[in-house]
Amino acid sequence: MANLPPPSPDVSPPVDEKRASFEKEALVHLDTLYRVALRLSGNPADADDLVQETMLKAYRAWDQYEKGTNAKAWLLTILRHAFINEYRRRTRHPETVDVDTIEPFAVFSEVQDDDPQGAFFDKIVDDQVLGAIDKLPEAFRETLVLSDVEGMSYQEIAGILHVPVGTVKSRLFRARQLLQGKLYDYAVEMGYIKGSPA
Amino acid sequence: MNCRECVEHLYEFLDRELTPQLEQDIRAHLEDCPPCEEQYDFEELFLKFLRARCRAQGAPPELKKRVLRELFGE
């Protein structure tokens, strides 16, 4: 039987230092983690638990994180793994979507004569927009939230979701078009803009 | 650059994911092409609207306390 390697010397930084760097680099992203968790899980109680769990895992693994790189992306990767492993099974199910039915830039062509600036969007309140995002298929929803709400780059999103950059691009395109369509239909229904729901 | 190519790159342009050269080609096309410019403006305003509507919400103060308590025993 091979000899076990000698125990490695304790090179962990002192607790105060660890805490300070965690507060500076990780805790500042709490709002982002919460918003993403809420859109993924679909309810505030699960979002709370998901964020809590993410922060605990991140703190435990903090020595493995290379300081000063990209804590936001690193934390979101942990959060997404936790969501997939522990929450998705009992909350939502990944849906399949017929992506070919989405027409490119359908809403713009619909409104370009009457409202080319899309002023009707401004009448739609936060809750309606968030509700429409929640109805997007999961793969589109997470891509759109990471990009359009949290401002992550294609490369960062590809890393978090473990998909190629080309997939991020195409999901983002479809997610935005799908969401625009939903919001346009709602605006027509509410009389914010004339037109017929697609 | 023609209109089809210009519209194809629309989101990559707005997301600032293009090379400086391609970005410049698009700017040049948009200056000469009001219909493409209109479509770019529409999509840009939509993305701004979306961000504004979705960022109002942050982590509840209770959650922050809970995380600090759990991590540092506070």
Side-chain angles (χ1 to χ4, degrees), chain A residues 19 22-23 27 30-31 34-35 38 48-49 52 55-56 59 105 108 111 116-118 121-122 124 126 129 133 148-151 153-154 169 172-173 176-177 179-180, chain B residues 7-8 10-15 17 35 38-43 45-47 49-60 63-64 66-68 70-72 74:
Chain A
R19 175 177 172 167
F22 192 79
E23 284 187 348
L27 280 176
L30 201 67
D31 287 342
Y34 182 74
R35 280 192 294 264
L38 192 54
D48 278 2
D49 291 347
Q52 169 90 354
M55 282 304 190
L56 279 178
Y59 195 62
F105 302 110
F108 176 71
V111 302
Q117 298 271 303
F121 284 129
D122 292 330
I124 307 177
D126 294 19
V129 176
I133 292 174
D148 297 353
V149 184
E150 306 306 334
S153 70
Y154 294 176
K169 265 191 241 183
L172 201 47
F173 173 81
R176 286 166 173 172
Q177 294 300 300
L179 182 63
Q180 267 183 18
Chain B
V7 169
E8 247 172 41
L10 194 156
Y11 282 142
E12 287 163 282
F13 178 89
L14 296 178
D15 293 331
E17 295 274 354
E38 201 172 61
Q39 187 163 354
Y40 265 63
D41 285 348
F42 176 85
E43 296 296 332
L45 288 168
F46 174 72
L47 294 181
F49 150 83
L50 198 53
R51 195 176 161 86
R53 287 291 183 277
C54 298
R55 281 187 69 93
Q57 195 167 30
L63 175 62
K64 189 167 186 186
R66 192 178 137 193
V67 168
L68 288 173
E70 197 72 31
L71 290 179
F72 311 124
E74 286 179 357

Side-chain angles (χ1 to χ4, degrees), chain B residues 1-12:
Chain B
M1 163 107 22
N2 59 36
C3 294
R4 189 183 52 80
E5 288 168 331
C6 183
V7 169
E8 247 172 41
H9 291 303
L10 194 156
Y11 282 142
E12 287 163 282

